[in-house]
């Protein structure tokens, strides 16, 4: 009988400690959200198609910096804008912002510029992209910004995305 009483007290103690540890881990998680990085916000980022890019962009847009530029390591054509970046563009539009396509400075007329502009714009205007951008809290930081997609011509005459610039909306 006394063994049962001791076993019950031990079980009660383990339960109390387990609940306390669960609360402590929840509190620690709420203090350090996964989207906050230890690095300071940057006005210029390099695009890498990894979740770390989203964390860095969230930090820069929530600073809030007047302008955040995103450059690319790879050759990105306007019609092949990475999905991760398309979600950010969709979020800008969802938040009432505008996405402006800035054609490359050139003396030669670009091949079918209206087709190019409509193709780029339709990429992130897809319904699925807008729903995903609306659902994820991290993309809401882009609601305070407009975006400019700056294009350039390479040495072969191909149109590439030079950089994306998030410009804080005027209040």
């Amino acid at each position: 009988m006394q063994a049962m009483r001791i076993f019950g007290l031990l079980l009660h103690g383990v339960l109390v400690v387990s609940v306390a540890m669960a609360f402590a881990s929840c509190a620690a998680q709420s203090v350090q959200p996964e989207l906050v990085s230890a690095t300071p916000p940057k006005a210029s980022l390099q695009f890498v198609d990894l979740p770390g890019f989203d964390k860095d962009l969230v930090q820069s847009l929530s600073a809030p910096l007047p302008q955040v530029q995103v450059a690319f390591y790879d050759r990105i054509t306007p019609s092949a804008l990475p999905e991760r970046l398309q979600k950010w563009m969709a979020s800008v539009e969802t938040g009432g912002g505008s996405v402006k396509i800035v054609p490359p400075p050139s003396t030669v007329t670009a091949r079918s510029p209206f087709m190019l502009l409509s193709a780029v714009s339709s990429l992130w205007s897809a319904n699925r992209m807008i729903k995903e951008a609306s659902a994820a809290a991290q993309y809401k930081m882009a609601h305070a910004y407009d975006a400019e997609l700056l294009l350039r011509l390479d040495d072969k005459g191909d149109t590439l995305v030079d950089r994306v610039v998030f410009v804080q909306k005027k209040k």
Side-chain angles (χ1 to χ4, degrees), residues 2-22:
Q2 188 161 346
M4 292 295 280
R5 179 183 261 182
I6 292 173
F7 180 72
L9 288 173
L10 280 174
L11 188 60
H12 181 72
V14 168
L15 181 64
V16 168
V17 169
S18 297
V19 169
M21 288 177 67

Side-chain angles (χ1 to χ4, degrees), residues 110-124:
R111 291 176 248 162
S112 192
F114 292 111
M115 187 172 79
L116 174 68
L117 296 180
S118 66
V120 172
S121 180
S122 67
L123 284 175
W124 60 78

Side-chain angles (χ1 to χ4, degrees), residues 124-151:
W124 60 78
S125 295
N127 195 22
R128 178 181 66 88
M129 208 62 72
I130 290 174
K131 285 181 183 174
E132 288 178 15
S134 297
Q138 72 180 4
Y139 297 112
K140 289 191 169 85
M141 296 299 161
H143 289 185
Y145 288 81
D146 290 321
E148 294 179 352
L149 195 67
L150 301 167
L151 305 179

Side-chain angles (χ1 to χ4, degrees), residues 2 6 11 26 28 31 37 46-47 51 69 73 80-83 90-91 93-94 100 109 137 139 160-161:
Q2 188 161 346
I6 292 173
L11 188 60
C26 289
V31 171
S37 175
Q46 289 288 334
F47 178 79
Q69 294 194 26
Y73 288 114
L81 199 64
E83 187 174 316
S91 182
E93 287 183 342
T94 301
K100 180 179 165 187
T109 305
Y139 297 112
L160 301 175
V161 178

Side-chain angles (χ1 to χ4, degrees), residues 53 70 73 90 104 106:
F53 169 78
V70 177
Y73 288 114
S106 170

Side-chain angles (χ1 to χ4, degrees), residues 22-94:
F23 281 126
S25 72
C26 289
Q29 288 176 356
S30 67
V31 171
Q32 278 188 315
E34 71 177 47
L35 293 177
V36 175
S37 175
T39 61
K42 299 174 188 171
S44 183
L45 302 172
Q46 289 288 334
F47 178 79
V48 178
D49 202 359
L50 295 171
F53 169 78
D54 293 327
K55 291 177 184 179
D56 291 343
L57 187 55
V58 164
Q59 188 164 11
S60 293
L61 295 180
S62 63
L65 298 172
Q67 191 178 79
V68 178
Q69 294 194 26
V70 177
F72 298 92
Y73 288 114
D74 296 326
R75 290 173 41 100
I76 306 289
T77 62
S79 59
L81 199 64
E83 187 174 316
R84 181 175 305 281
L85 206 49
Q86 290 180 39
K87 290 177 184 176
W88 285 102
M89 299 293 107
S91 182
V92 166
E93 287 183 342
T94 301

